[in-house]
Amino acid sequence: MKIPVLRGVIARRLLINYRVDPDCLQALLPPPFEPQLVNGMGLAGICLIRLTQMRPQHLPGFVGVTSENAAHRIAVRWHEDGKERVGVYIPRRDTASRFNTWVGGRLVPGYHHHADFTVQEHQNDFHIVVDSGDRQTHVAVDAQLVTDLSAGSVFGTLAAASRFFEQGSVGYSPMLHSDELQGLQLQSYTWQVEPLAVSRVESSFFADPQRFPPGSCTFDCALLMRHIEHEWHEQPSLGKAA
């Protein structure tokens, strides 16, 4: 089933980013992907996003739905039609929306696991905890809006980080009943990121020593996006999931 073009608003999006040994990331990637490197390091992370007014693009905003979602992402590159492309591979999606778990991959982007979300926001302070029903995902983040990118980030500047994530607008994820990779592109009407200071970050995915041996994965930086009107556009499926 073709996914319709979906339109809505990114009410809040936290990008929690890790710099990772490229060999560890390569072991998690299906072909044709390779880790996209920044100063010799791979980049992966968690997107914690609240979407509002989500609906097929021809419908008015008041009929749209709101949901809290989390996506684990790996920055990748691959070659297609003789050209190098960049984007993200998304091995895992979690959502608080039962609707998204029912129709994920058919009417909304990607297959989703159901999870409980605890979200507390006060002006520029954010507290988010995610625990999935299958106990495979635990995420906890406390973050505060600041003026400067985290010291020691591989990006060096906020502008460089912004460009990197804006260019990675295409994401691919495994489908539930297919060995193909489903592709979707985020088209934002505006693009603005702000830096966050993280006082607490927990991730069962990145803390797993089977995936990431000690020293291979380090928190890098966090970014915030708010009030971004956008659309999701389906992309042709790519290859086959490993």
Side-chain angles (χ1 to χ4, degrees):
M1 180 183 296
K2 181 176 177 59
I3 294 177
V5 175
L6 298 176
R7 184 173 181 176
V9 177
I10 297 173
R12 180 260 301 135
R13 185 190 195 198
L14 269 63
L15 294 172
I16 309 300
N17 306 304
Y18 292 78
R19 53 183 182 270
V20 187
D21 184 310
D23 291 337
C24 294
L25 292 181
Q26 186 65 71
L28 302 176
L29 295 175
F33 297 133
E34 299 177 1
Q36 185 183 3
L37 304 185
V38 178
N39 293 327
M41 297 299 296
L43 267 295
I46 311 159
C47 172
L48 299 169
I49 188 169
R50 181 168 68 245
L51 299 172
T52 64
Q53 302 180 34
M54 290 299 299
R55 78 280 185 191
Q57 66 177 155
H58 63 280
L59 296 180
F62 70 85
V63 304
V65 298
T66 295
S67 62
E68 289 283 354
N69 307 277
H72 286 75
R73 303 148 36 99
I74 301 171
V76 295
R77 63 175 187 167
W78 70 99
H79 287 85
E80 188 175 336
D81 298 327
K83 297 181 180 180
E84 182 175 281
R85 299 190 63 193
V86 296
V88 293
Y89 173 64
I90 305 169
R92 172 88 182 195
R93 296 180 185 269
D94 293 275
T95 182
S97 168
R98 291 290 186 183
F99 178 78
N100 285 355
T101 63
W102 293 333
V103 301
R106 293 172 290 163
L107 296 179
V108 299
Y111 172 69
H112 293 68
H113 301 265
H114 187 261
D116 292 324
F117 284 67
T118 301
V119 179
Q120 298 175 6
E121 299 180 20
H122 178 68
Q123 295 181 341
N124 295 324
D125 294 330
F126 304 88
H127 167 80
I128 302 175
V129 177
V130 183
D131 285 295
S132 65
D134 63 5
R135 300 185 179 182
Q136 296 301 302
T137 295
H138 168 73
V139 175
V141 174
D142 290 331
Q144 303 78 40
L145 187 68
V146 291
T147 57
D148 297 313
L149 192 69
S150 299
S153 170
V154 295
F155 295 108
T157 67
L158 180 62
S162 178
R163 286 193 301 271
F164 180 87
F165 289 105
E166 186 174 13
Q167 291 169 1
S169 63
V170 177
Y172 284 93
S173 54
M175 299 178 69
L176 180 59
H177 299 299
S178 172
D179 55 4
E180 293 185 327
L181 298 167
Q182 183 181 37
L184 291 151
Q185 183 175 32
L186 171 64
Q187 295 186 7
S188 302
Y189 297 164
T190 60
W191 183 271
Q192 181 179 5
V193 300
E194 300 173 275
L196 292 168
V198 173
S199 55
R200 173 196 181 197
V201 58
E202 299 173 3
S203 166
S204 56
F205 183 84
F206 290 105
D208 182 354
Q210 298 300 314
R211 295 188 181 101
F212 306 109
S216 65
C217 179
T218 304
F219 172 77
D220 184 83
C221 67
L223 302 171
L224 171 67
M225 299 178 67
R226 290 188 283 194
H227 314 306
I228 304 294
E229 292 194 38
H230 70 287
E231 294 180 352
W232 294 101
H233 290 254
E234 186 174 20
Q235 301 292 294
S237 61
L238 183 64
K240 295 184 178 182

